[in-house]
Amino acid sequence: MKFRLILIAFAFMVSSVYANDMPSEVIALKKAFQAIPGIRSAEVGKHYYSKEDIVTLNDVYFSGEHADLPISMYRRSGGNLNNEILINVAFEIQKNTLGLQALEFLSWWVRDLSRSGDNVQIRSIGLPPIVGEKVQLGDTLSFWFEAYIVTEREDMRLVLNEISDLTQSLNTSFNLYKSAFNQ
């Protein structure tokens, strides 16, 4: 219960309404994504769902805002693991070569992090191709970078340290390969 209260406090901190009050580590992660050429927008979020939450979400077929969650992972694990929080960066790319380069770069970065033991992934998100008379196909594609952060104890400082490590890794990787974007 205590860890859940910490997570609720974190949700408050990352709310866009309170953007000025976001922890510096969260702001830095957002800026690191936005610094990559071809990234159009980036927003940081968090998710924590218990086994009971997943049962409820299954009953409503993960509707509304919950439709973008990593549903397969949550169904497979029955919710977040103990002391685990999902930090995500929802980002959009430009609809051009530079946007595809940004996505490829981030995909490599995530692959490299995964190979070294981090529990991270990138997922694509799309909305229905047609809603009513409106064709949405080609206009709704976005992506989620997801990091499953597990800490040894219920301490938000540990989560923020992990976010800081991700930011440092992304900034270092981008600075190392920045010249690839000039091709």
Side-chain angles (χ1 to χ4, degrees):
M1 180 65 163
K2 183 178 174 188
F3 188 64
R4 191 159 174 102
L5 291 176
I6 292 171
L7 296 177
I8 291 168
F10 184 70
F12 175 79
M13 290 188 290
V14 298
S15 167
S16 60
V17 174
Y18 301 99
N20 294 334
D21 296 333
M22 284 195 300
S24 60
E25 296 87 350
V26 174
I27 293 169
L29 181 61
K30 178 179 177 173
K31 286 181 178 179
F33 269 80
Q34 291 173 326
I36 297 170
I39 298 295
R40 203 169 68 187
S41 66
E43 294 298 327
V44 179
K46 74 89 197 143
H47 298 282
Y48 174 85
Y49 293 99
S50 68
K51 294 186 184 320
E52 296 80 24
D53 294 333
I54 297 305
V55 168
T56 301
L57 288 172
N58 262 328
D59 289 345
V60 295
Y61 303 106
F62 282 87
S63 62
E65 67 188 64
H66 304 293
D68 291 344
L69 292 172
I71 298 168
S72 295
M73 186 283 298
Y74 279 137
R75 283 187 173 146
R76 186 176 63 246
S77 64
N80 286 90
L81 304 175
N82 289 337
N83 295 342
E84 177 186 64
I85 184 171
L86 167 59
I87 301 298
N88 73 288
V89 179
F91 66 95
E92 294 180 355
I93 62 172
Q94 295 173 7
K95 293 182 180 181
N96 57 24
T97 301
L98 197 55
L100 290 174
Q101 287 176 340
L103 181 59
E104 186 173 351
F105 170 79
L106 288 170
S107 295
W108 160 78
W109 175 66
V110 167
R111 176 179 173 262
D112 206 50
L113 286 175
S114 293
R115 291 176 59 219
S116 67
D118 289 291
N119 291 321
V120 294
Q121 65 184 16
I122 286 184
R123 292 185 308 114
S124 60
I125 307 292
L127 297 179
I130 300 175
V131 173
E133 307 239 345
K134 182 177 189 242
V135 174
Q136 299 186 125
L137 191 61
D139 291 329
T140 68
L141 186 63
S142 65
F143 303 90
W144 276 30
F145 162 76
E146 297 170 329
Y148 297 89
I149 298 174
V150 178
T151 56
E152 72 243 15
R153 62 183 188 282
E154 300 166 352
D155 184 348
M156 188 49 67
R157 188 92 261 156
L158 295 174
V159 173
L160 292 173
N161 287 343
E162 291 289 328
I163 292 171
S164 183
D165 289 348
L166 288 169
T167 302
Q168 182 179 356
S169 170
L170 180 55
N171 285 332
T172 300
S173 295
F174 176 66
N175 287 330
L176 187 63
Y177 294 108
K178 184 185 320 192
S179 63
F181 287 91
N182 297 331
Q183 302 301 317

